[in-house]
């Protein structure tokens, strides 16, 4: 395990966020970590971003006294890019082992956006006694009503495109920056959230060898995720769950969707945001999370 202070990051101004790597079953996981109070919050990003997406939310949570971990998910960012293992239940086990490696468990608070939200749900469903609270941000859960309807709609065209074998890699390779800039804009409401620095960081991340393939494997694993989630959903989650959506994302229907898998759901719809809520409206995300999370100690 190696850790270093992020001297050139805005987050470094908190004097507590470090940049490290840790091996999880032979896969090198990159992470950002700030050790603070006894309550740990784990922030999981999704496709099209990396742990960098939490650059505004993470320092605010740290300043409020939480220990905060934000890893790059398997295959994404500066985490290694193995050929397999992109089922969300499997990645959830990775994150659990990372939490253990860093001495942060066993009980944590989870928040996940997009693919990270799918992973966060799989984590909570498999280890409910270890998740104090769960927040899922603007992502449909595979196999959970109305998944079948949503995945046939125009908003999820990329689910079908990205799941094709080899074709998206062939068309996007060498144009990662252009594709991501367009994708971030079309899925967002506050397009100013993605400045040149963010675009360059994400473009570099997804231009790395194997990064496109690894990212699209998240979509190719949906059939396995559907089977797993339908089994998980037979026992609804009992911990408090925050369902957060953007008004230009999944919107007001999102709380009902998450209600199919959890008993105690609080719904928040963020104005001025589409899909990329932590980047489009980070203050609103921080406010919602701090009102929802247990007080730091």
């Amino acid at each position: 395990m190696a850790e270093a202070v992020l001297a050139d990051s805005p987050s470094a101004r908190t004097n507590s966020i470090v940049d490290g790597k840790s091996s999880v079953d032979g896969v090198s996981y990159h992470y950002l970590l700030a050790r603070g109070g006894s309550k740990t919050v784990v922030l999981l990003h999704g496709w099209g971003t990396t742990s960098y997406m939490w650059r505004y939310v993470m320092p605010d949570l740290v300043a409020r006294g939480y220990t905060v971990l934000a890893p790059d998910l398997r295959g994404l960012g500066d985490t290694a890019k193995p050929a397999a293992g992109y089922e969300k239940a499997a990645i959830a086990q990775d994150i659990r082992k990372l939490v253990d490696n860093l001495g942060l468990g066993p009980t944590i608070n989870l928040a996940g956006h997009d693919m990270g939200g799918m992973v966060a749900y799989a984590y909570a469903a498999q280890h409910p006694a270890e998740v104090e609270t769960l927040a899922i941000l603007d992502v449909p859960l595979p196999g959970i009503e109305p998944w079948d309807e949503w995945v046939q709609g125009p908003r999820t065209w990329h689910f079908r495109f990205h799941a094709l074998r080899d074709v998206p890699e062939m068309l996007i390779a060498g144009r990662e920056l252009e594709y991501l800039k367009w994708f971030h804009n079309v899925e967002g409401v506050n397009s100013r959230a993605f400045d040149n620095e963010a675009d360059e960081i994400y473009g570099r991340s997804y231009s790395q060898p194997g990064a496109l393939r690894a990212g699209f494997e998240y979509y190719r694993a949906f059939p396995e995720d559907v089977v797993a989630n339908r089994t998980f959903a037979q026992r609804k989650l009992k911990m408090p769950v925050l369902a957060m959506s953007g008004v230009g994302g999944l919107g007001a229907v999102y709380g009902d969707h998450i209600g199919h898998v959890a008993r105690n759901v609080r719904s928040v719809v963020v104005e001025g945001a589409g899909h990329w809520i932590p980047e489009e409206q980070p203050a609103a995300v921080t406010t919602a999370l701090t009102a929802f999370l247990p007080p730091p100690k």
Side-chain angles (χ1 to χ4, degrees):
M1 183 194 310
E3 295 185 353
V5 176
L6 285 176
D8 59 349
S9 166
S11 300
R13 289 194 286 270
T14 66
N15 296 318
S16 59
I17 297 178
V18 298
D19 185 358
K21 288 191 175 181
S22 180
S23 179
V24 177
D25 292 338
V27 176
S28 178
Y29 261 81
H30 170 255
Y31 62 85
L32 304 177
L33 173 64
R35 297 181 185 271
S38 62
K39 296 291 185 181
T40 296
V41 181
V42 178
L43 303 173
L44 304 179
H45 69 89
W47 188 86
T49 63
T50 67
S51 58
Y52 182 74
M53 80 167 303
W54 300 107
R55 62 194 176 278
Y56 303 120
V57 174
M58 186 176 183
D60 283 348
L61 292 178
V62 172
R64 286 165 169 78
Y66 294 98
T67 288
V68 184
L69 171 67
D72 286 339
L73 293 180
R74 173 181 281 249
L76 303 180
D78 291 322
T79 290
K81 296 156 180 60
Y86 294 93
E87 301 82 8
K88 310 311 169 291
I91 298 172
Q93 301 289 24
D94 283 359
I95 300 302
R96 183 171 181 254
K97 291 174 184 177
L98 176 63
V99 166
D100 183 64
N101 285 356
L102 298 174
L104 301 177
T107 304
I108 62 171
N109 297 273
L110 266 174
H113 173 260
D114 190 78
M115 296 295 177
M118 296 182 186
V119 173
Y121 170 64
Y123 191 127
Q126 292 176 101
H127 305 286
E130 299 176 11
V131 178
E132 190 170 6
T133 63
L134 171 66
I136 307 177
L137 282 66
D138 209 72
V139 66
L141 298 178
I144 304 303
E145 186 181 350
W147 170 260
D148 291 339
E149 175 186 338
W150 279 345
V151 296
Q152 296 303 318
R155 283 292 301 274
T156 57
W157 63 271
H158 60 289
F159 283 19
R160 301 181 292 279
F161 173 56
H162 291 173
L164 293 172
R165 180 66 61 187
D166 298 332
V167 174
E169 289 96 326
M170 176 180 65
L171 296 177
I172 298 170
R175 304 177 183 87
E176 294 87 353
L177 175 60
E178 291 80 5
Y179 183 68
L180 287 171
K181 287 173 69 173
W182 176 84
F183 192 80
H184 291 150
N185 183 62
V186 76
E187 287 292 322
V189 168
N190 178 14
S191 58
R192 295 173 298 172
F194 292 90
D195 57 18
N196 289 336
E197 180 180 9
D199 286 335
E200 291 295 331
I201 287 173
Y202 292 140
R204 178 196 67 82
S205 293
Y206 283 83
S207 298
Q208 295 181 69
L212 280 181
R213 172 197 49 77
F216 296 144
E217 291 298 329
Y218 279 79
Y219 296 87
R220 294 164 187 157
F222 280 170
E224 291 82 3
D225 299 336
V226 166
V227 173
N229 284 353
R230 286 177 176 165
T231 299
F232 295 153
Q234 293 175 15
R235 176 177 291 183
K236 284 192 174 186
L237 301 176
K238 295 180 181 179
M239 78 283 293
V241 177
L242 177 65
M244 191 182 308
S245 57
V247 69
L250 291 172
V253 302
Y254 194 53
D256 291 338
H257 173 61
I258 300 302
H260 290 297
V261 301
R263 298 183 185 278
N264 181 8
V265 179
R266 179 186 303 179
S267 179
V268 172
V269 179
V270 179
E271 297 291 333
H275 177 60
W276 317 100
I277 317 171
E279 296 184 279
E280 294 183 74
Q281 298 297 337
V285 172
T286 301
T287 297
L289 285 176
T290 53
F292 173 70
L293 291 167
K297 293 181 181 179

